[in-house]
Amino acid sequence: MTRQQQLIAWTESILDITQRWKNKNIHVKISLTDRDFDRHGTSFTHFSMIFNSFYIRTSGVRMMFSGKNNELVEVSTDFLTQVEIIENNLENLIIFTEKLGESELKQTIFRKTTLLLL
């Protein structure tokens, strides 16, 4: 599967899921690290929002998730390396992993964005 085909498949799955999430509370976790997302070398941001909509910029370079109170979470499609979708009786979540580049110490920097239906 080409990168473009993979991106289209991810987008179709995300669109289907987020239509069911409209007006529901979701928890957002964003972490940035040069390691394996362990708690010692990772910075975190956490917040909750009432999910409103999912859309993609016309250029296609950003996926955006907006909340009822103007919250906005963006994921770069250019840097996206993995999308994990988990839907079962215990949890419903989408995990995005982006490869952002290298640090001055030549360590690769990743951002992981998790959207969890509460």
Side-chain angles (χ1 to χ4, degrees), residues 20-46:
R20 295 191 304 270
W21 286 12
K22 189 162 179 73
N23 297 318
K24 294 185 179 174
N25 196 16
I26 65 168
H27 188 70
V28 180
K29 296 190 300 185
I30 302 171
S31 55
L32 186 66
T33 188
D34 59 356
R35 300 186 187 142
D36 295 324
F37 296 98
D38 68 58
R39 61 190 172 107
H40 300 290
T42 302
S43 61
F44 291 97
T45 300
H46 300 266

Side-chain angles (χ1 to χ4, degrees), residues 10 13-15 17-18 21 31 35-36 39 43 45-46 49 62 64-65 72 74 83 89 93 112:
W10 284 336
S13 295
I14 293 164
L15 184 59
I17 291 166
T18 55
W21 286 12
S31 55
R35 300 186 187 142
D36 295 324
R39 61 190 172 107
S43 61
T45 300
H46 300 266
M49 69 181 185
R62 294 274 187 219
M64 296 181 283
F65 303 85
L72 182 64
E74 293 189 0
V83 175
N89 292 334
L93 58 106
K112 186 181 287 186

